[in-house]
Amino acid sequence: MTTGSTDGTETSTDSDDPLDPRARRREQHGWYFYDFACSVYSTSVVTVFLGPYLTSVAKRAADADGFVHPLGIPVRAGSLFAYSVSLSVIIAVVLMPLAGAWADRTGRKKPLLAVAAYVGAAATTGMFFLSGERYLLGALLLIVANAALSVSMVLYNAYLPQIAEPAERDAVSSRGWAFGYTSGALVLMLNLALYLGHEGLGLSESSAVRICLASAGLWWGAFTLIPLRRLRDRHLPPGGEGSVGSGWRQLVATVKDMRRYPLTLSFLLAYLVYNDGVQTVISQASIYGSEELRLDQSTLITAVLLVQILAVVGALGMARLARTHGAKRTIMGSLAVWTLILAAAYFLPARSAGWFFVLAAGIGLVLGGSQALSRSLFSHLVPRGKEAEYFSAYEMSDRGLSWLGPLVFGLAYQLTGSYRQAIISLVVFFALGFFLLARVPVRRAVVAAGNPVPERI
């Protein structure tokens, strides 16, 4: 049974049966819908529309030398988007461990998930007002939305060990990613139709883009109601209560505690490296397509849509492979495919939209699965009762430390003047990640964390 807390949220009592399949499935279905809610932000806002649009707004506000001056600091208009993302990462790095520590110490993840989700959704919806020369408004909304998303994902991921038994986590995690990519594809399809037909609707291109941005925030907020309705908080043992003020002390304790699980840290290091490559490919693919391959905006949007659709197939298909070959081997296979994709991109001739779609299809097939299986594999390596804290470290690897890949990409372009050299430089992340992951004895890591070992892992 569940009881209502003073703030209206549900918490489980000691009489709850954590293995009851109906209750577990209900929570799993609700959990899937947070990916369905927030993934449209990553797809439509970050990957497709906001970078080029915010840059155009900044350029309108720039001086004769192409600089804007936020807080009196000279910044190239073309760098504003990247700097804003970097600042949001710094803020998220501070907030994510605190959120994870607070959630574990109080046992109340859901209220904090609600706050983070609706702050992010509100900031995204506010992007509708990003017009004229309001580049500072755009940068601020991006920083808030990105940081809020990162905090919410710490809490969302921390539910996985509580709502899924060890043997089913690969499947549950993969379905979550599939839900996310499905919503991303659906909303991006609607965005594409609006963007291509804006003149017939009497809209300017700027208005169409702002509607697309705001729609992602409205979608995020609306569908967050489902997980907030179905997910439950768990009571902690007596003496487990904590407070926000103890967050920093808990963060230090978490870092010290993780040293007791060196194999879990080894996996996190491998994930940090190869995921940095994944995130950089996704964020820079549109730039590579437009600047190096000379492809138009509609082609790029269509390619991203193709990635979203096939990522659903890939996430579910790789979950099936994991059942027979294990999550670790399946992830390593996906890293080999990522390397082949980068090699093919290096040799791709300009204005080859067809071949660019082939590469997008390849990315889609390995993107969802590699991310979903990494999350489920890590869930086996987390000591019981420390899910939110450890998933804050995981989320920092996923979002908070994904700055090295873009830096390598940017330096390679700066030194060579070639985006082809920049894209091939990312091979090192997949090769090194493959090597580091191969060295992690995952069965021993699961045992060391005190968890049951699945038949296939």
Side-chain angles (χ1 to χ4, degrees), residues 167-199:
E168 63 181 351
R169 286 182 197 165
D170 287 347
V172 171
S173 182
S174 296
R175 290 190 198 110
W177 281 106
F179 266 62
Y181 284 117
T182 298
S183 71
L186 176 59
V187 173
L188 190 57
M189 195 180 304
L190 297 173
N191 290 162
L192 178 61
L194 176 64
Y195 180 81
L196 294 179
H198 67 270
E199 291 183 354

Side-chain angles (χ1 to χ4, degrees), residues 289-349:
S290 61
E291 298 297 324
E292 185 67 37
L293 302 182
R294 308 299 180 187
L295 300 174
D296 59 38
Q297 183 71 19
S298 61
T299 299
L300 298 177
I301 296 175
T302 304
V304 173
L305 178 59
L306 181 61
V307 169
Q308 297 298 305
I309 295 172
L310 291 181
V312 177
V313 178
L316 300 177
M318 287 180 64
R320 294 179 65 87
L321 287 175
R323 285 203 293 269
T324 56
H325 299 285
K328 176 183 172 180
R329 289 183 179 179
T330 306
I331 294 170
M332 291 173 64
S334 75
L335 299 182
V337 175
W338 276 107
T339 303
L340 293 176
I341 289 171
L342 291 179
Y346 177 82
F347 292 105
L348 195 66

Side-chain angles (χ1 to χ4, degrees), residues 360-434:
I363 289 175
L365 289 174
V366 293
L367 175 61
S370 59
Q371 293 176 317
L373 293 179
S374 295
R375 177 171 63 187
S376 62
L377 180 55
F378 181 72
S379 74
H380 294 287
L381 312 182
V382 178
R384 190 175 299 275
K386 301 187 178 186
E387 292 86 1
E389 290 180 48
Y390 275 60
F391 266 106
S392 71
Y394 178 87
E395 195 66 20
M396 286 176 68
S397 297
D398 188 6
R399 299 173 186 275
L401 298 178
S402 56
W403 53 268
L404 185 57
L407 177 62
V408 170
F409 185 93
L411 287 175
Y413 177 75
Q414 181 174 331
L415 294 174
T416 66
S418 168
Y419 281 108
R420 294 185 187 276
Q421 298 296 329
I423 201 72
I424 203 64
S425 70
L426 301 179
V427 166
V428 66
F429 290 93
F430 297 103
L432 181 57
F434 183 98

